[in-house]
């Protein structure tokens, strides 16, 4: 009897791995048409990302440069992949949902959908904040730094790596309220805990802002104030969640 039960459990585990492999394969195949579309519009996507720096590229007529034959091709490949990954997120997240939803209770399914929706909104807010607020100020400071004799000739490879990394960092940093609410739901922290260690949190956020932004006080505070606002929002949301749970 024990041997039969063991075989059933191993078979069930094997079926789970097979289903996971199918879901991953479907997600990768679903990425292909999005990648093809993004590749077709890759010139436009790079031009959009180039806009914050374009006013400071007078020496190159507003364009970036490349120093190796493959640099421009790899830049188009990189931006097409990240854009396709983002645009296809509803599809591959739906595949993830189909894989995990059978093991969730009804209430947990509602929470998963809520966290997914709020996570997407917060990430977009972080990305928009980086593009429309942080980048113009950062480039204004960095490009006008020094005597003004040197002219910027920035490679497309370095620029795209910098701007994509910055957008991803700020997008994930803006997920802070969601992460803290999730920890509150797990009983790890509480709104009282967040209030008690507010000063320590501000210190940590200040250090984080100093690492992310260029070495000037304006950029630091430009990022720090929204992060403090997100932390205060986290305190309010965790308190609201505790009241609702009670």
């Amino acid at each position: 009897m024990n041997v039969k039960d063991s075989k059933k459990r191993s078979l069930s585990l094997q079926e789970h791995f097979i289903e996971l492999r199918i879901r991953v394969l479907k997600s990768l195949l679903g990425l292909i048409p999005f990648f093809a579309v993004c590749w077709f519009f890759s010139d436009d996507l790079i031009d959009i990302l180039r806009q914050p720096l374009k006013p400071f590229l007078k020496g190159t007529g507003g364009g970036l440069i490349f120093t190796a034959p493959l640099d421009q091709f790899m830049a188009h490949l990189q931006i097409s992949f990240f854009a396709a990954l983002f645009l296809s997120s509803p599809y591959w997240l739906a595949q993830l949902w189909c894989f995990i939803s059978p093991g969730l209770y009804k209430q947990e399914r509602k929470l998963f959908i809520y966290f997914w929706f709020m996570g997407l909104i917060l990430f977009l807010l972080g990305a928009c904040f980086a593009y429309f607020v942080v980048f113009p100020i950062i480039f204004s400071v960095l490009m006008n730094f020094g005597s003004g004799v040197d002219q910027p000739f920035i490679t497309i490879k370095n620029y795209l790596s910098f701007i994509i990394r910055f957008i991803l960092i700020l997008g994930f940093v803006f997920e802070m309220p969601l992460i803290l609410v999730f920890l509150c739901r797990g009983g790890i922290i509480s709104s009282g805990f967040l209030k008690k260690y507010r000063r320590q949190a501000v210190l940590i956020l200040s250090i984080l802002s100093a690492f992310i932004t260029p070495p000037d006080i304006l950029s630091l505070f430009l990022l720090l104030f929204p992060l403090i606002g997100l932390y205060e929002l986290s305190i309010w949301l965790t308190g609201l969640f505790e009241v609702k749970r009670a």
Side-chain angles (χ1 to χ4, degrees):
M1 187 68 179
N2 292 334
V3 176
K4 291 182 179 180
D5 291 341
S6 177
K7 288 183 178 179
K8 288 180 180 179
R9 281 195 295 269
S10 63
L11 182 61
S12 177
L13 183 61
Q14 184 180 9
E15 288 175 348
H16 276 71
F17 277 116
I18 292 174
E19 184 183 359
L20 178 61
R21 184 174 61 184
I22 292 174
R23 296 297 177 186
V24 172
L25 183 60
K26 285 184 176 181
S27 299
L28 293 175
L29 291 176
L31 187 65
I32 294 176
F34 288 95
F35 179 82
V37 173
C38 292
W39 178 264
F40 182 78
F41 291 101
S42 58
D43 282 329
D44 300 309
L45 293 174
I46 290 179
D47 187 58
I48 291 173
L49 292 179
R50 191 193 295 120
Q51 291 304 313
L53 187 65
K54 194 172 183 178
F56 308 101
L57 299 175
K58 298 178 181 179
T60 58
L64 300 165
I65 66 170
F66 58 97
T67 58
L70 284 176
D71 279 357
Q72 196 167 21
F73 173 79
M74 293 303 296
H76 283 252
L77 194 66
Q78 183 183 22
I79 192 62
S80 299
F81 172 75
F82 280 107
L85 190 65
F86 175 76
L87 292 176
S88 65
S89 60
Y91 177 75
W92 55 261
L93 283 172
Q95 294 299 320
L96 175 64
W97 170 252
C98 291
F99 177 73
I100 67 172
S101 60
L104 299 177
Y105 294 108
K106 184 178 179 180
Q107 185 64 22
E108 290 174 334
R109 292 177 184 177
K110 292 181 179 179
L111 282 174
F112 181 88
I113 295 174
Y114 169 78
F115 274 99
W116 172 80
F117 179 75
M118 291 304 300
L120 179 62
I121 295 298
L122 289 172
F123 184 88
L124 287 175
L125 286 176
C128 291
F129 180 76
Y131 184 85
F132 292 106
V133 180
V134 177
F135 287 152
I137 296 178
I138 285 180
F139 293 142
S140 177
V141 172
L142 294 179
M143 295 298 105
N144 293 316
F145 186 79
S147 60
V149 176
D150 302 318
Q151 294 296 319
F153 288 90
I154 301 173
T155 64
I156 188 171
K157 177 182 177 181
N158 291 335
Y159 177 70
L160 286 183
S161 296
F162 170 80
I163 201 169
I164 290 175
R165 183 171 63 249
F166 209 102
I167 287 175
L168 290 176
I169 288 174
L170 274 183
F172 285 117
V173 165
F174 268 61
E175 301 286 345
M176 179 174 57
L178 198 64
I179 295 172
L180 294 179
V181 170
F182 181 78
L183 293 176
C184 176
R185 170 166 164 69
I188 300 175
I189 62 172
S190 64
S191 59
F193 176 88
L194 296 178
K195 292 178 182 178
K196 180 179 179 180
Y197 293 99
R198 181 186 274 116
R199 293 183 180 179
Q200 290 84 344
V202 172
L203 177 61
I204 294 173
L205 293 176
S206 301
I207 296 173
L208 178 63
S209 301
F211 272 108
I212 295 177
T213 58
D216 67 277
I217 195 68
L218 178 62
S219 299
L220 188 148
F221 282 110
L222 185 68
L223 180 59
L224 179 60
F225 286 146
L227 291 183
I228 293 176
L230 288 171
Y231 187 81
E232 295 297 327
L233 176 63
S234 303
I235 294 176
W236 181 76
L237 288 175
T238 52
L240 186 66
F241 177 80
E242 289 170 347
V243 171
K244 184 177 180 181
R245 184 170 57 181

